[in-house]
Amino acid sequence: MREIDKIIIHCTATKAGREVTVEEVTAWHKGRGFRTIGYHYLIGLDGKISAGRPEREVGAHCLGQNGHSIGVCYVGGLDERGQPQDTRTEAQKESLRGLVAELRRRYPGASVHGHREFAAKACPCFDVGREM
Ligand SMILES: [Zn+2]
């Protein structure tokens, strides 16, 4: 098993209200040269959690952090004008909290971060440190 010390949160950087499927993200990531979707989980607008890359496999979501982390992504992150915004629905917030809690039970000691802590990006467009 991989040793996991971080859970890293992302957004799809798509506009509020637009649903995105695992298949769609997989196509984007393949287009960028990845083998498959880079995230381990994707949380849809309705809060549905879809599995992406298996947890045992190294993800492709956060440069320099992939080897020891799990990548979780919610759908959204941009407002109507395309500017960064916390667009999470209540269902997404609830699913995200539940999933992170479950991952922390399974990977005791893992810390929770937003992508922007490791890159000059807005992702995931909310303050993970404050919330988690
Ligand atoms: Zn990200």
Side-chain angles (χ1 to χ4, degrees):
M1 280 299 282
R2 292 197 294 142
E3 205 172 293
I4 300 298
D5 62 13
K6 291 185 185 70
I7 297 159
I8 301 176
I9 313 299
H10 300 265
C11 63
T12 52
T14 48
K15 288 185 180 178
R18 189 197 151 191
E19 188 62 286
V20 178
T21 63
V22 163
E23 290 72 26
E24 194 171 1
V25 178
T26 300
W28 295 343
H29 286 183
K30 281 183 170 172
R32 286 165 56 185
F34 302 169
R35 187 168 46 80
T36 184
I37 186 169
Y39 308 119
H40 296 94
Y41 294 100
L42 183 70
I43 302 178
L45 296 178
D46 60 359
K48 180 170 172 262
I49 299 170
S50 300
R53 199 176 283 218
E55 283 181 33
R56 65 178 181 278
E57 293 180 16
V58 173
H61 56 92
C62 188
L63 203 62
Q65 302 294 332
N66 289 312
H68 296 261
S69 69
I70 297 287
V72 176
C73 183
Y74 75 91
V75 173
L78 300 181
D79 68 15
E80 289 307 318
R81 301 185 321 280
Q83 297 301 308
Q85 188 178 55
D86 181 3
T87 62
R88 289 174 300 159
T89 63
E90 284 309 312
Q92 284 179 308
K93 288 181 184 175
E94 200 172 304
S95 292
L96 184 59
R97 272 194 296 271
L99 178 57
V100 167
E102 184 205 319
L103 290 170
R104 293 184 81 175
R105 271 195 300 276
R106 288 198 279 116
Y107 301 108
S111 49
V112 187
H113 304 269
H115 188 190
R116 66 188 184 189
E117 292 173 52
F118 306 104
K121 294 177 180 232
C123 180
C125 305
F126 72 97
D127 189 343
V128 172
R130 175 182 288 183
E131 196 169 310
M132 307 277 178

mmCIF file of all heavy atoms in Angstrom, residues 8-12 39 61-62 72-73 114-116 121-124, ligand 1:
data_model
loop_
_atom_site.group_PDB
_atom_site.id
_atom_site.type_symbol
_atom_site.label_atom_id
_atom_site.label_comp_id
_atom_site.label_asym_id
_atom_site.label_seq_id
_atom_site.Cartn_x
_atom_site.Cartn_y
_atom_site.Cartn_z
ATOM 1 N N ILE A 8 -5.700 16.087 -0.594
ATOM 2 C CA ILE A 8 -5.643 17.387 -1.271
ATOM 3 C C ILE A 8 -6.949 17.627 -2.041
ATOM 4 O O ILE A 8 -7.386 16.777 -2.822
ATOM 5 C CB ILE A 8 -4.417 17.461 -2.205
ATOM 6 C CG1 ILE A 8 -3.143 17.237 -1.356
ATOM 7 C CG2 ILE A 8 -4.359 18.805 -2.936
ATOM 8 C CD1 ILE A 8 -1.859 17.196 -2.155
ATOM 9 N N ILE A 9 -7.546 18.788 -1.778
ATOM 10 C CA ILE A 9 -8.848 19.120 -2.346
ATOM 11 C C ILE A 9 -8.681 20.002 -3.584
ATOM 12 O O ILE A 9 -7.874 20.940 -3.588
ATOM 13 C CB ILE A 9 -9.715 19.880 -1.311
ATOM 14 C CG1 ILE A 9 -9.691 19.194 0.074
ATOM 15 C CG2 ILE A 9 -11.146 20.041 -1.826
ATOM 16 C CD1 ILE A 9 -10.214 17.795 0.097
ATOM 17 N N HIS A 10 -9.493 19.688 -4.590
ATOM 18 C CA HIS A 10 -9.488 20.425 -5.857
ATOM 19 C C HIS A 10 -10.912 20.795 -6.283
ATOM 20 O O HIS A 10 -11.883 20.256 -5.749
ATOM 21 C CB HIS A 10 -8.924 19.533 -6.983
ATOM 22 C CG HIS A 10 -7.532 19.067 -6.772
ATOM 23 N ND1 HIS A 10 -6.451 19.730 -7.296
ATOM 24 C CD2 HIS A 10 -7.035 18.011 -6.078
ATOM 25 C CE1 HIS A 10 -5.341 19.088 -6.953
ATOM 26 N NE2 HIS A 10 -5.673 18.043 -6.212
ATOM 27 N N CYS A 11 -10.969 21.660 -7.306
ATOM 28 C CA CYS A 11 -12.233 21.895 -8.004
ATOM 29 C C CYS A 11 -11.984 21.641 -9.492
ATOM 30 O O CYS A 11 -10.841 21.642 -9.940
ATOM 31 C CB CYS A 11 -12.718 23.332 -7.783
ATOM 32 S SG CYS A 11 -11.626 24.598 -8.453
ATOM 33 N N THR A 12 -13.046 21.435 -10.257
ATOM 34 C CA THR A 12 -12.870 21.201 -11.697
ATOM 35 C C THR A 12 -12.639 22.502 -12.458
ATOM 36 O O THR A 12 -12.346 22.471 -13.654
ATOM 37 C CB THR A 12 -14.110 20.508 -12.320
ATOM 38 O OG1 THR A 12 -15.280 21.254 -11.962
ATOM 39 C CG2 THR A 12 -14.251 19.072 -11.847
ATOM 40 N N TYR A 39 -7.603 12.457 -10.468
ATOM 41 C CA TYR A 39 -8.149 12.495 -9.104
ATOM 42 C C TYR A 39 -8.603 11.109 -8.655
ATOM 43 O O TYR A 39 -8.978 10.275 -9.483
ATOM 44 C CB TYR A 39 -9.376 13.420 -9.043
ATOM 45 C CG TYR A 39 -9.178 14.802 -9.596
ATOM 46 C CD1 TYR A 39 -9.940 15.245 -10.677
ATOM 47 C CD2 TYR A 39 -8.247 15.673 -9.036
ATOM 48 C CE1 TYR A 39 -9.786 16.520 -11.196
ATOM 49 C CE2 TYR A 39 -8.080 16.959 -9.545
ATOM 50 C CZ TYR A 39 -8.850 17.374 -10.626
ATOM 51 O OH TYR A 39 -8.695 18.634 -11.137
ATOM 52 N N HIS A 61 -2.551 15.033 -9.730
ATOM 53 C CA HIS A 61 -3.408 16.171 -9.395
ATOM 54 C C HIS A 61 -2.673 17.309 -8.714
ATOM 55 O O HIS A 61 -3.178 18.424 -8.648
ATOM 56 C CB HIS A 61 -4.587 15.714 -8.510
ATOM 57 C CG HIS A 61 -4.158 15.001 -7.251
ATOM 58 N ND1 HIS A 61 -3.955 15.676 -6.070
ATOM 59 C CD2 HIS A 61 -3.871 13.698 -7.014
ATOM 60 C CE1 HIS A 61 -3.578 14.796 -5.150
ATOM 61 N NE2 HIS A 61 -3.513 13.592 -5.679
ATOM 62 N N CYS A 62 -1.474 17.054 -8.199
ATOM 63 C CA CYS A 62 -0.779 18.109 -7.458
ATOM 64 C C CYS A 62 0.724 17.884 -7.559
ATOM 65 O O CYS A 62 1.266 17.010 -6.889
ATOM 66 C CB CYS A 62 -1.240 18.110 -6.003
ATOM 67 S SG CYS A 62 -0.614 19.502 -5.061
ATOM 68 N N VAL A 72 -9.002 14.733 -4.108
ATOM 69 C CA VAL A 72 -10.471 14.781 -4.108
ATOM 70 C C VAL A 72 -10.895 16.068 -4.820
ATOM 71 O O VAL A 72 -10.386 17.144 -4.497
ATOM 72 C CB VAL A 72 -11.018 14.790 -2.671
ATOM 73 C CG1 VAL A 72 -12.532 14.943 -2.672
ATOM 74 C CG2 VAL A 72 -10.609 13.516 -1.924
ATOM 75 N N CYS A 73 -11.822 15.966 -5.754
ATOM 76 C CA CYS A 73 -12.210 17.115 -6.561
ATOM 77 C C CYS A 73 -13.722 17.312 -6.533
ATOM 78 O O CYS A 73 -14.477 16.347 -6.692
ATOM 79 C CB CYS A 73 -11.759 16.870 -8.001
ATOM 80 S SG CYS A 73 -12.099 18.230 -9.118
ATOM 81 N N GLY A 114 -5.713 22.399 0.529
ATOM 82 C CA GLY A 114 -6.217 22.843 -0.759
ATOM 83 C C GLY A 114 -5.061 22.854 -1.749
ATOM 84 O O GLY A 114 -3.919 23.106 -1.382
ATOM 85 N N HIS A 115 -5.359 22.587 -3.005
ATOM 86 C CA HIS A 115 -4.339 22.577 -4.058
ATOM 87 C C HIS A 115 -3.507 23.859 -4.034
ATOM 88 O O HIS A 115 -2.303 23.848 -4.257
ATOM 89 C CB HIS A 115 -5.053 22.409 -5.413
ATOM 90 C CG HIS A 115 -4.139 22.200 -6.577
ATOM 91 N ND1 HIS A 115 -4.600 22.227 -7.867
ATOM 92 C CD2 HIS A 115 -2.801 21.970 -6.659
ATOM 93 C CE1 HIS A 115 -3.573 22.022 -8.692
ATOM 94 N NE2 HIS A 115 -2.484 21.866 -7.981
ATOM 95 N N ARG A 116 -4.181 24.988 -3.749
ATOM 96 C CA ARG A 116 -3.481 26.281 -3.835
ATOM 97 C C ARG A 116 -2.360 26.436 -2.814
ATOM 98 O O ARG A 116 -1.532 27.340 -2.949
ATOM 99 C CB ARG A 116 -4.482 27.429 -3.704
ATOM 100 C CG ARG A 116 -5.163 27.544 -2.349
ATOM 101 C CD ARG A 116 -6.268 28.588 -2.443
ATOM 102 N NE ARG A 116 -6.908 28.808 -1.152
ATOM 103 C CZ ARG A 116 -8.014 29.529 -0.991
ATOM 104 N NH1 ARG A 116 -8.583 30.103 -2.044
ATOM 105 N NH2 ARG A 116 -8.527 29.698 0.194
ATOM 106 N N LYS A 121 -2.369 28.767 -7.795
ATOM 107 C CA LYS A 121 -3.689 28.595 -8.400
ATOM 108 C C LYS A 121 -4.731 28.985 -7.369
ATOM 109 O O LYS A 121 -4.445 29.029 -6.180
ATOM 110 C CB LYS A 121 -3.920 27.123 -8.758
ATOM 111 C CG LYS A 121 -3.017 26.598 -9.846
ATOM 112 C CD LYS A 121 -3.268 25.123 -10.073
ATOM 113 C CE LYS A 121 -2.349 24.622 -11.181
ATOM 114 N NZ LYS A 121 -2.992 23.923 -12.221
ATOM 115 N N ALA A 122 -5.962 29.194 -7.820
ATOM 116 C CA ALA A 122 -7.057 29.486 -6.894
ATOM 117 C C ALA A 122 -7.655 28.193 -6.323
ATOM 118 O O ALA A 122 -8.272 28.203 -5.273
ATOM 119 C CB ALA A 122 -8.150 30.274 -7.608
ATOM 120 N N CYS A 123 -7.479 27.107 -7.034
ATOM 121 C CA CYS A 123 -8.042 25.798 -6.681
ATOM 122 C C CYS A 123 -7.795 25.450 -5.219
ATOM 123 O O CYS A 123 -6.651 25.524 -4.795
ATOM 124 C CB CYS A 123 -7.402 24.745 -7.592
ATOM 125 S SG CYS A 123 -7.991 23.075 -7.303
ATOM 126 N N PRO A 124 -8.760 25.048 -4.429
ATOM 127 C CA PRO A 124 -10.143 24.725 -4.791
ATOM 128 C C PRO A 124 -11.149 25.861 -4.537
ATOM 129 O O PRO A 124 -12.346 25.604 -4.417
ATOM 130 C CB PRO A 124 -10.456 23.545 -3.867
ATOM 131 C CG PRO A 124 -9.721 23.892 -2.596
ATOM 132 C CD PRO A 124 -8.487 24.637 -3.030
HETATM 133 ZN ZN ZN B 1 -6.513 21.598 -8.198
#
